[in-house]
Amino acid sequence: MADTKTVETEPEKQPRSVRVVLLALMITMMLAMLDNMIVGTAMPTIVGELGGLEHLSWVVTAYTLATAASTPLWGKLGDMYGRKGAFMTSIVIFLIGSALSGMAQNMGELIGFRAIQGLGAGGLMVGVMAIIGDLIPPRERGKYQGMMAGVMALAMIGGPLVGGTITDNWGWRWSFYINLPLGVVSLALISAVLHLPKKRAQARIDYLGAALLTVGITSIVLVTTWGGSEYAWSSARIMELIAIGVASLIGFVFWQTRAAEPIVPLHIFRSRNFTLMSLIGFVTGFVMFGATLFLPLYQQSVQGASATNSGLLLLPMLGAMLVTSMVAGRVTTNSGKYKIFPIVGSVAMVIGLYLLSTMDTGTSRLTSGVFMAVVGLGMGCLMQITMLVAQNSVEMKDMGVASSSTTLFRTLGSSFGVAIMGALFNSRVQDVMSERAGALGSKVTEQSAQLDAASLAKLPAVAREAYQHAVSAGTHSAFLLGAAVAVVALVAAVFVKEVPLKGAGPAKDGEKPADGTAETQPPLVDAI
C-alpha cells in the first residue's frame, strides 16, 4: 500500500519541484549569457583603471577559449560521474573566477581570472541542457527549451543596459560580483531539490583525447580571433595555428576510435539527425553572432542610433526569436512534429539575411526592424529545436556529450561567423573609404574599420558621409555571405528525418507510452 501511495502522489508533487529546478537552471543560464555582455560594456572603464590597452582583447579571448575548450569535457564528466555534481562544480568554478576577476589589480590578473571563469562557464550551458534532457521527455521538452530561448533573448537585450547601469553606479568590479548572489541562489536550489541518479564510471577520463581536443579548439578559436586583426590571414603565425589545429583534430578523431571512454563518442554521429543538427547549430551560431555584431554598428554609424541603448537596437530580432521559439516549443509538445521548424527557420534566415544585405544609407529604422524580425523568426525556429532533436537522437547515457557537442558546434560557428564576416566587412569598408575619400579615407580606417561614436563625430563631413556608405557596403557583403551560409542549413533541414519524440506526452488511460520511459523513469526531483 505504501508503494502505491508513493506512485499516486508523486505526479502531483513533481511539477512544482521541476519548476523550482527550472528556475535554478534559468538563473544559471542567465549567468552564462549575461557575463560577456555586461563585461563588454564595462571594458572602457576597466582599461581606464587597470591600463594594459594592448592586452584588452585577451580579456574576452581568454574567457572564450576556456569556455570552448572545456565544453566537451563537462558534457562527458556529467555522463560518467553524474550530471548534478558536474553542473554544481562548474557553477562553483565560475563563481570563483567571477570573484577573483572582480578583485583583479592589473590586466594580467584579470585575463588569468577570466580564463578560470571561462572554464566554469563551459559547463553552465551544457549542464542546463543536459539536465533538462534528463528531467523532461523530449515530447515535453520543447516548451521548456522555448523558455530558455526567452532567457537568452532577454540577456542579449538587457546585458548592455545592465552592464552600463552597474558600471556607472557601483563600479566595474560589480560587473563580476553580481554573479555571486545569483550563483549562490542557483546552487542552493539545485542542491536542495534536484536529485539525479548517482554514477561512477569504471573507465578513466580520456586525458589524451581531452588534450588533443583542447589544442585543436584553442587553435581554431585563435585563428578566428587573430586572423585579419592581430595578424594577417597569410602570416606565418596564422598558418602555424591552422596546421596545429588540423593536426590535433585529426589526431583526436583517430584516438576517439581507440579510447576506452572517448570524450566525444563518434558513434553519436552515425545518427543522421544528430549530424544534421550539429551542422544547423554551427550555421545558426555563424549567423546569429555575426548579426548581433554588425547590426548595432550599422544602426549607430548609418542611422545615427545611440550606442548607449545598443541592446535595444536588436529588439525586433530578439523579440521575434523569443516569441517564435516559445510557439515552436508549444507546437512540438502538442503535436510531436518538428521537421517543419528547421525548414521554415532556415528559409526565414536566408530571406531575412538577404533583406538585411539590401540596406543602404537611406534605409529607415522601421524597414531594418522588419528585416531583423524576419531573421529573428528564423533563429527562433532553430535555436532550441536543434538541441531537442540532437538529444532525441542519442541514448540517455550520451545525453551530456550530445548536449556539449551541439553547444560546441554553435560556439565554433559563432567564432567563424564573427571572423569571416568581420574580415569581409573590414575589407569592404576600407575599399569604399579609399574610393570615396581617397587618402583621408584610408587614414581614417587605418587602425580599425569600426569607428566608435566619438571618433565618427570628429570626422570631416566628407569623410563621415564616405564612412556611412562604406559601412552600408560592408554590411551588404557580410549579410550576403550570411544568407549564402544559411542555405547550407536549409539543405541540411530538408534531409532531417522526423523520428518520433521519446516520452511522447501523457499516455491515454490504459495505454503504455511509446517507448516505456514515462512509466519506468524514477522520480528525478524531490518535492518541497
Side-chain angles (χ1 to χ4, degrees), residues 469-480:
H469 283 282
V471 168
S472 294
T475 51
H476 166 77
S477 299
F479 288 129
L480 204 56

Side-chain angles (χ1 to χ4, degrees), residues 196-213:
L196 296 172
K198 295 187 187 306
K199 302 176 184 178
R200 182 67 191 177
Q202 298 300 315
R204 296 181 62 190
I205 296 173
D206 177 16
Y207 291 107
L208 177 57
L212 288 169
L213 183 60

